[in-house]
Amino acid sequence: MKFGTKAIHAGVEPDPSTGAIMTPIYQTSTYVQRSPGDHQGYEYSRTHNPTRTALQNNLTALENGKHGLCFSSGLGAIDAIIKLLNPGDEVISTNDLYGGSYRIFTKVFERYGIKFHFVSMDEPASIGNYINENTKLIWAETPTNPMMNIIDIEAIAAVAKKHQVLFAVDNTFATPFLQNPLDLGADIVMHSVTKYLGGHSDVVMGAIIVNDDALADKLAFIQNACGATPGPQDCFLVLRGIKTLHLRMERHCQNGKTIAAFLKNHPKIEKVYWPGFEDHPNHVIAKKQMRDFGGMISFTLVGNRIEDAKKVLENLHYFALAESLGGVESLCGHPATMTHASIPKEEREKVGLVDSLIRLSVGIEDSEDLKEDLKKALELI
């Protein structure tokens, strides 16, 4: 199946009892057994639920994987991945990443003796300098949040395999429509399903997709034992959202290109971060491993004044000032005080996340309206 067909059909079958074309919402916590241990594959809904099973199968197909697991949030998925490790193990993470990932790594798991190294991944060969006998995992986002840095998945996968280290990729920004890390050698793909996969700002969920059977078994054990599982209503909503993922992503990419070009030529904007520009760092890698460049854009203002950034954000209309991203509606945010506030200022600024940086999630509205919205807000500074 091609992607658009997968989005609609993969993992989804008509309900055998009624022929319903949409996967039912199995709103149940438990299942009747004929005899102790004699059941129809379902015992308790923390462990398995038919609606969740359909979604997991669908996501697995979209990422060209073998096993899929859904969690109650993206951080629930990250939590499960780090729980594969033991005290004394070490993780090499990109130094530009979602603030929630940084927070759970440093404020939660470092307390249990897991060490994290936050490094630039612009040059994959340099990662080998940080690997030692305790290194068990390499963690990457690409494009990164919010600087849109591009990391060469295939090159880092080669480093990970050479040193027998797991390699996980947060594929939230790209989605499986634009990029498939498992095909490029990654061991684990993680998604904040909340974002583009759900696509309608009405669900919080996470997912993990892998190929390795033993790894899948370990993650499924953690999923069940720790219990960060989503309910069937949310799984139903994501299944519905995914049916238009390819159409939405095409429009996100189209609008992203239009808005990035508009911003780049604006006199009040210092720098625009969008992987589709030929002068964007590692643009060649983005062109190689992605099918398009997405609808996420960050930019800084001339003078780098936080009060200017706030004025712009307060006066946007179609770009709603809100956490999150990837919905059909456009969103704007101020990473320094919102999504990345948990990262110390000096660490943020090392990667370019300055006080005037604004992040846009370009939605699927008419691009002319979005340009006019930005134009009017920028006129006020």
Side-chain angles (χ1 to χ4, degrees):
M1 286 187 281
K2 299 288 190 282
F3 190 93
T5 309
K6 277 187 190 178
I8 294 168
H9 293 289
V12 178
E13 299 290 340
D15 176 47
S17 61
T18 65
I21 196 165
M22 294 298 293
T23 302
I25 302 169
Y26 286 89
Q27 195 71 51
T28 185
S29 59
T30 193
Y31 307 82
V32 174
Q33 303 185 25
R34 289 177 290 265
S35 178
D38 181 9
H39 51 77
Q40 298 178 63
Y42 296 93
E43 301 166 88
Y44 187 59
S45 276
R46 186 189 68 247
T47 310
H48 296 295
N49 176 282
T51 316
R52 191 172 93 215
T53 297
L55 175 58
Q56 290 178 161
N57 291 342
N58 182 257
L59 291 170
T60 300
L62 294 183
E63 281 290 8
N64 300 327
K66 192 174 177 184
H67 305 280
L69 300 159
C70 285
F71 295 80
S72 53
S73 69
L75 281 164
I78 294 171
D79 178 79
I81 293 167
I82 305 302
K83 282 175 179 170
L84 293 167
L85 309 180
N86 296 309
D89 288 346
E90 298 188 13
V91 178
I92 300 169
S93 168
T94 179
N95 62 350
D96 173 30
L97 77 167
Y98 168 52
S101 303
Y102 181 87
R103 181 178 57 222
I104 196 172
F105 290 169
T106 59
K107 302 298 185 184
V108 177
F109 283 107
E110 279 190 349
R111 293 172 50 226
Y112 295 96
I114 297 171
K115 186 174 181 180
F116 295 85
H117 303 272
F118 297 96
V119 306
S120 170
M121 294 189 174
D122 291 345
E123 298 293 337
S126 67
I127 293 172
N129 299 331
Y130 299 91
I131 295 177
N132 59 47
E133 61 183 9
N134 297 320
T135 307
K136 297 296 188 294
L137 176 69
I138 298 172
W139 182 270
E141 296 176 7
T142 182
T144 61
N145 182 4
M147 303 309 299
M148 311 299 156
N149 288 317
I150 299 299
I151 293 169
D152 189 332
I153 297 172
E154 197 168 26
I156 293 183
V159 173
K161 281 178 172 50
K162 177 183 176 184
H163 294 275
Q164 296 183 306
V165 172
L166 285 174
F167 177 33
V169 176
D170 181 339
N171 201 29
T172 299
F173 271 26
T175 81
F177 180 74
L178 298 181
Q179 169 176 283
N180 298 111
L182 294 179
D183 292 349
L184 297 170
D187 300 295
I188 301 170
V189 176
M190 172 265 163
H191 284 279
S192 175
V193 176
T194 311
K195 313 306 194 293
Y196 285 108
L197 292 173
H200 293 79
S201 302
D202 54 7
V203 173
V204 173
M205 194 185 294
I208 298 171
I209 301 95
V210 301
N211 278 325
D212 183 82
D213 296 346
L215 182 58
D217 287 345
K218 289 177 184 176
L219 287 166
F221 174 82
I222 293 167
Q223 181 195 41
N224 184 51
C226 297
T229 51
Q233 172 76 28
D234 285 351
C235 292
F236 173 86
L237 288 172
V238 175
L239 277 167
R240 185 179 67 167
I242 284 175
K243 289 181 186 295
T244 58
L245 177 62
H246 53 304
L247 302 176
R248 290 186 284 107
M249 289 307 298
E250 286 171 1
R251 185 60 174 262
H252 283 300
C253 292
Q254 179 186 332
N255 281 358
K257 182 177 182 178
T258 300
I259 297 303
F262 166 77
L263 293 171
K264 193 168 190 179
N265 294 316
H266 198 285
K268 293 184 180 179
I269 290 175
E270 182 74 32
K271 188 163 181 58
V272 181
Y273 301 90
W274 181 66
F277 290 137
E278 289 188 3
D279 60 354
H280 186 86
N282 273 353
H283 167 76
V284 173
I285 301 299
K287 199 171 180 180
K288 181 183 78 169
Q289 69 187 20
M290 298 174 73
R291 299 177 188 96
D292 208 328
F293 303 107
M296 295 302 300
I297 301 168
S298 292
F299 64 93
T300 57
L301 301 171
V302 171
N304 190 35
R305 291 181 292 271
I306 192 169
E307 56 269 24
D308 287 345
K310 287 182 177 179
K311 185 170 280 190
V312 170
L313 291 164
E314 288 166 359
N315 287 282
L316 287 166
H317 176 63
Y318 296 123
F319 284 92
L321 177 58
E323 300 271 1
S324 200
L325 59 104
V328 292
E329 61 285 305
S330 292
L331 299 176
C332 61
H334 186 244
T337 58
M338 294 171 69
T339 53
H340 291 66
S342 59
I343 300 177
K345 181 180 174 73
E346 61 274 16
E347 292 300 317
R348 284 192 277 107
E349 294 193 339
K350 281 180 188 176
V351 299
L353 203 169
V354 296
D355 283 347
S356 75
L357 186 90
I358 291 172
R359 191 190 74 183
L360 301 180
S361 173
V362 182
I364 64 171
E365 303 95 337
D366 189 288
S367 61
E368 291 303 310
D369 289 331
L370 297 179
K371 279 165 50 176
E372 188 65 21
D373 195 26
L374 287 162
K375 181 182 175 184
K376 287 179 178 178
L378 288 163
E379 284 173 353
L380 299 175
I381 62 173

